[in-house]
Amino acid sequence: MSKFSNRLKNIRLKRNISRKALAQKVDLSYSTIAKYENGEREPDISTLNKLALSLEVSVDYLAGKSNNENSNESTPISEVNCLLKEFGIEYSGFHDIDRWKALGPEELKELENYFKYITDMAMRKKEENDDDPT
């Protein structure tokens, strides 16, 4: 599933808006919203703009280009928080917040790559254990 489909569904649920209500707001069918959320289709730019406006988020956030819901600017902390949520480690308890605030785009990309590496490694290990008949 794409970042877009995950974010569309999550923000819609967070805003407590039904698929039907969102579809009506942006002049689409319920099934089109469902296909967006299931990753079966992606909207054109005009529809993406309508969805972002209706859900009160930035287009960049909805498209997965920013981790800040409300603007096209992001902070290192919001980027790290988004990565933690994306990789299922939301409750990590950072102690030296100033170090995290100093992260730039390159460091954030490295952090994302590291999270992906670690989670992929864990999945491989789990799959190997699941396949082991003993």
Side-chain angles (χ1 to χ4, degrees):
M1 206 177 287
S2 70
K3 272 190 180 182
F4 165 73
S5 57
N6 282 329
R7 287 187 174 183
L8 177 64
K9 183 175 184 175
N10 290 338
I11 202 72
R12 180 184 60 74
L13 293 172
K14 183 178 175 181
R15 301 281 194 263
N16 201 27
I17 300 171
S18 69
R19 282 182 177 166
K20 183 178 179 182
L22 181 59
Q24 288 173 341
K25 275 179 122 176
V26 295
D27 197 28
L28 295 171
S29 69
Y30 172 93
S31 64
T32 298
I33 299 296
K35 287 178 182 178
Y36 289 161
E37 290 184 358
N38 293 327
E40 297 171 33
R41 286 185 62 184
E42 290 196 353
D44 59 31
I45 192 68
S46 174
T47 304
L48 183 63
N49 281 319
K50 288 179 188 177
L51 289 166
L53 281 171
S54 295
L55 294 168
E56 299 176 354
V57 295
S58 70
V59 170
D60 281 353
Y61 174 79
L62 204 51
K65 293 185 178 204
S66 169
N67 293 324
N68 189 339
E69 289 179 17
N70 298 316
S71 81
N72 292 330
E73 294 179 27
S74 62
T75 64
I77 295 301
S78 68
E79 296 286 332
V80 169
N81 285 334
C82 186
L83 284 173
L84 293 173
K85 286 179 186 176
E86 183 178 333
F87 287 93
I89 43 180
E90 298 174 62
Y91 306 104
S92 60
F94 294 118
H95 300 288
D96 191 354
I97 200 76
D98 289 330
R99 289 180 178 259
W100 292 99
K101 287 180 179 178
L103 295 176
E106 295 85 17
E107 292 86 8
L108 289 168
K109 187 64 182 166
E110 283 296 317
L111 187 59
E112 181 178 6
N113 291 338
Y114 183 69
F115 284 165
K116 181 164 179 21
Y117 169 75
I118 292 297
T119 54
D120 286 350
M121 220 168 62
M123 285 301 295
R124 279 194 300 277
K125 191 177 200 180
K126 182 184 180 310
E127 289 168 359
E128 287 172 5
N129 288 338
D130 290 347
D131 290 340
D132 189 5
T134 58

